[in-house]
């Protein structure tokens, strides 16, 4: 798995890392930005992310994975496809930022693949404060699913891990910012 992490780190730095003046979702200012969608939508990047998330979750008793649209969408697809290849098929769900406003008017899409109380993992591309991820968790719990794992590609190490822990979850990351920098250089 270390070789796969090195490959993903190189792709993340090449495709997703930008320096400059950025405002993050949390409202915080930053001199760097990780747009993980660029890597997650790359063929090898998608395969690597799906493979590594499946590895992180291999011993966790879950029936599916999901997260907040738009950042988690390619992560969910990659993880579910790889899970099928590995003989442990996981269903996926997507949490909307706003309910549709018509039809079922729900926040969580894909619930037909689940029953109330099913154990699931939440996926996120980047965690800074954890705010978006925790909002998605609230909506998933309200939809009747049991969140037993919370995973991210990158923990920016800016307080999100603690906020998620304070909410009762443990954050599992493919990389922390420091680990990503080290892996990309190796």
């Amino acid at each position: 798995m270390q070789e796969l992490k090195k490959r993903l780190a190189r792709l993340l730095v090449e495709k997703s890392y930008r320096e400059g003046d950025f405002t993050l979702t949390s409202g915080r200012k930053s001199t760097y930005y990780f747009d993980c969608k660029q890597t997650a939508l790359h063929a090898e990047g998608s395969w690597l992310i799906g493979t590594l998330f499946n590895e992180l979750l291999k011993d966790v008793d879950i029936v599916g994975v999901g997260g907040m649209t738009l950042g988690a969408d390619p992560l969910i697809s990659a993880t579910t496809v790889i899970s099928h290849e590995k003989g442990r098929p996981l269903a996926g769900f997507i949490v909307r930022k706003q309910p549709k406003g018509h039809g079922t008017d729900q926040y969580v899409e894909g619930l037909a693949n689940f029953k109330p109380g099913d154990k699931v993992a939440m996926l996120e591309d980047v965690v800074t404060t954890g705010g978006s991820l925790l909002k998605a968790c609230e909506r998933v719990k309200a939809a009747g699913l049991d969140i037993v794992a919370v995973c991210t590609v990158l923990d920016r190490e800016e307080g999100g891990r603690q906020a998620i822990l304070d909410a009762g979850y443990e954050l599992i990351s493919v990389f922390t910012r420091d680990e990503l920098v080290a892996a990309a250089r190796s």
Side-chain angles (χ1 to χ4, degrees), residues 57-106:
L57 295 166
K58 71 180 178 187
D59 297 324
V60 181
D61 180 23
I62 56 172
V63 298
V65 295
M68 183 73 84
T69 199
L70 179 71
D73 293 0
L75 311 177
I76 296 160
S77 293
T79 303
T80 59
V81 168
I82 297 296
S83 75
H84 178 77
E85 283 185 345
K86 292 188 169 289
R88 182 192 180 208
L90 299 171
F93 60 89
I94 295 171
V95 181
R96 292 178 175 276
K97 292 183 178 162
Q98 298 296 324
K100 256 178 15 175
H102 62 280
T104 58
D105 198 36
Q106 59 192 10

Side-chain angles (χ1 to χ4, degrees), residues 8-185:
L8 180 58
R10 289 183 194 118
L11 269 177
L12 283 166
V13 169
E14 174 190 334
K15 304 237 175 250
S16 297
Y17 178 74
R18 302 288 176 263
E19 291 182 348
D21 190 23
F22 300 97
T23 301
L24 306 176
T25 303
S26 64
R28 290 184 181 181
K29 299 288 187 185
S30 179
T31 58
Y32 69 95
Y33 183 70
F34 280 98
D35 182 1
C36 282
K37 288 180 290 302
Q38 302 306 315
T39 300
L41 293 169
H42 179 272
E44 182 182 12
S46 178
W47 182 83
L48 288 165
I49 289 168
T51 300
L52 289 167
F53 273 147
N54 272 277
E55 180 65 22
L56 289 177
L57 295 166
K58 71 180 178 187
D59 297 324
V60 181
D61 180 23
I62 56 172
V63 298
V65 295
M68 183 73 84
T69 199
L70 179 71
D73 293 0
L75 311 177
I76 296 160
S77 293
T79 303
T80 59
V81 168
I82 297 296
S83 75
H84 178 77
E85 283 185 345
K86 292 188 169 289
R88 182 192 180 208
L90 299 171
F93 60 89
I94 295 171
V95 181
R96 292 178 175 276
K97 292 183 178 162
Q98 298 296 324
K100 256 178 15 175
H102 62 280
T104 58
D105 198 36
Q106 59 192 10
Y107 275 110
V108 182
E109 296 293 342
L111 289 175
N113 298 311
F114 299 90
K115 61 184 184 309
D118 274 350
K119 294 178 181 178
V120 298
M122 297 295 291
L123 306 181
E124 180 71 285
D125 54 357
V126 179
V127 170
T128 303
T129 65
S132 296
L133 182 55
L134 290 173
K135 182 181 286 188
C137 288
E138 289 172 14
R139 292 179 179 161
V140 169
K141 283 175 59 178
L145 300 177
D146 182 15
I147 301 164
V148 297
V150 177
C151 304
T152 188
V153 175
L154 178 66
D155 173 5
R156 286 177 54 110
E157 301 178 291
E158 295 182 24
R161 181 176 297 275
Q162 187 60 51
I164 290 163
L165 186 61
D166 291 348
Y169 307 106
E170 179 182 348
L171 182 65
I172 304 166
S173 59
V174 176
F175 297 106
T176 62
R177 180 175 185 260
D178 290 343
E179 289 168 347
L180 176 61
V181 170
R185 289 182 180 151

